[in-house]
Amino acid sequence: MKWLEQRRQQSVFQDLPKEAQDLIAKVRAHFTRADLDILREAYLFAETAHTGQTRASGEPYIRHSLAVADILADLRLDPVTIAAALLHDVAEDTGVTLEQVSERFGAEIAALVDGVTKLGQIEWQSREERQAESLRKMFLAMANDIRIVLIKLADRLHNMRTLQYLPEWKRKRTAQETLDIYAPLAERLGIGQIQGELQDLAFKELHLEAYNEIATQLAQAAATSQLDRVIDLLHRELNRAGIKVERYSITARPKHIHSIWQKMQRPKYAGASVARIY
């Protein structure tokens, strides 16, 4: 029966664009028993609501909704959260009301969409205000469901990935806000992959020369990296200890560019090369 249900869902999803089908397939890989019809309905609803709307890049707005949902699918979030991500801008940027979202998708998804909308309406008057710990706590307190914050973080990450299409003043403001608020939030939630990318994208916008210098040195250091040799050594030692290779996984990566720059600011690392810190 499970196989038949999957075949039925696959046939139903064939009318969707490839990006939407890929998203649903990614969710299905981690939620094999879930009814994913809600994702199809959420995509079609959002696509209709955003008809005629484009991003600053000129792309159809629905691409942003898909990108935000895809980021959360990579974090293996549940289908309800993914559906809310697809719908996260409909109540703010289209003529759709929260009542309509609730009627179509239920109170849980409507509450997530409402929470994301409210978080997007917070405004800070100064950098000092943005950096205040009390505001970060308020940000989390307003989100009575942690999924709201996760959707907002994914929304900010995709906005940062497409920052180049905005005017300079808005790029600078968005980048600084990202460093002050969103990257620390990602750190507090333990989502290192999002934290690091947010920091690097913001740092690139605010300090392009320093970013490029570190990126160049990082590429040179990676060419002579000892990380692979360390991994091979660990594999050999684990095998020698009788630990089966299929029972573990060893990965390594260099530090993010912003993280390297932060370390270079400390007296301990004054004058240190990127290769040493990396």
Side-chain angles (χ1 to χ4, degrees):
M1 292 296 294
K2 176 182 172 183
W3 177 79
L4 288 174
E5 175 61 19
Q6 288 182 342
R7 287 294 300 270
R8 184 195 69 78
Q9 288 192 2
Q10 287 172 357
S11 64
V12 168
F13 300 144
Q14 286 177 354
D15 64 330
L16 300 179
K18 184 178 183 303
E19 295 91 339
Q21 291 187 43
D22 290 345
L23 170 67
I24 293 173
K26 188 179 292 186
V27 178
R28 183 189 293 118
H30 303 298
F31 295 89
T32 55
R33 297 182 178 180
D35 181 354
L36 301 183
D37 283 347
I38 191 173
L39 297 183
R40 178 181 186 276
E41 295 305 312
Y43 171 80
L44 292 174
F45 189 91
E47 183 184 44
T48 300
H50 290 298
T51 297
Q53 294 182 339
T54 57
R55 299 266 287 169
S57 63
E59 287 189 331
Y61 200 95
I62 190 63
R63 296 271 183 89
H64 169 68
S65 305
L66 276 168
V68 172
D70 191 66
I71 290 169
L72 296 173
D74 285 336
L75 295 178
R76 302 186 182 185
L77 291 183
D78 61 285
V80 167
T81 308
I82 304 300
L86 288 168
L87 298 164
H88 78 275
D89 275 333
V90 297
E92 183 176 12
D93 296 330
T94 76
V96 173
T97 66
L98 277 172
E99 288 73 19
Q100 289 174 307
V101 174
S102 182
E103 288 173 6
R104 183 75 173 270
F105 298 98
E108 183 180 10
I109 288 179
L112 293 174
V113 173
D114 185 38
V116 175
T117 301
K118 288 178 179 176
L119 287 181
Q121 293 170 348
I122 297 177
E123 293 186 4
W124 293 274
Q125 300 303 315
S126 67
R127 181 177 177 183
E128 289 72 21
E129 191 180 38
R130 289 196 301 267
Q131 290 175 315
E133 181 66 17
S134 59
L135 275 180
R136 285 203 279 267
K137 289 180 179 178
M138 184 186 73
F139 199 114
L140 287 170
M142 286 185 62
N144 53 17
D145 188 322
I146 195 63
R147 293 175 296 175
I148 294 172
V149 179
L150 294 174
I151 295 171
K152 192 61 186 175
L153 281 173
D155 174 64
R156 175 52 60 110
L157 179 55
H158 185 250
N159 284 338
M160 289 300 296
R161 288 175 177 174
T162 56
L163 198 63
Q164 69 270 28
Y165 299 105
L166 300 179
E168 183 179 5
W169 69 269
K170 196 167 186 178
R171 295 199 310 268
K172 301 297 184 187
R173 186 188 70 180
T174 302
Q176 191 63 61
E177 185 181 81
T178 297
L179 282 180
D180 292 344
I181 301 296
Y182 292 92
L185 275 173
E187 181 181 23
R188 290 296 183 92
L189 295 174
I191 316 174
Q193 64 202 80
I194 289 183
Q195 175 200 355
E197 188 175 354
L198 285 174
Q199 288 175 327
D200 280 356
L201 290 169
F203 181 61
K204 183 177 182 180
E205 178 60 40
L206 296 170
H207 305 283
L208 181 59
E209 186 175 340
Y211 177 94
N212 287 336
E213 182 179 350
I214 294 174
T216 299
Q217 293 184 48
L218 193 58
Q220 294 169 349
T224 58
S225 171
Q226 296 186 25
L227 291 179
D228 290 339
R229 277 175 278 178
V230 171
I231 291 176
D232 289 340
L233 175 62
L234 288 172
H235 273 300
R236 289 198 300 271
E237 293 301 317
L238 287 169
N239 289 333
R240 187 177 301 169
I243 300 175
K244 300 292 186 180
V245 65
E246 61 269 14
R247 293 183 181 177
Y248 64 87
S249 174
I250 301 175
T251 59
R253 62 164 180 79
K255 286 182 174 293
H256 287 281
I257 292 175
H258 181 262
S259 177
I260 291 174
W261 178 81
Q262 282 186 311
K263 232 175 183 179
M264 292 173 73
Q265 308 312 302
R266 302 176 191 171
K268 177 181 177 181
Y269 293 98
S273 66
V274 168
R276 177 188 167 193
I277 299 174
Y278 148 91

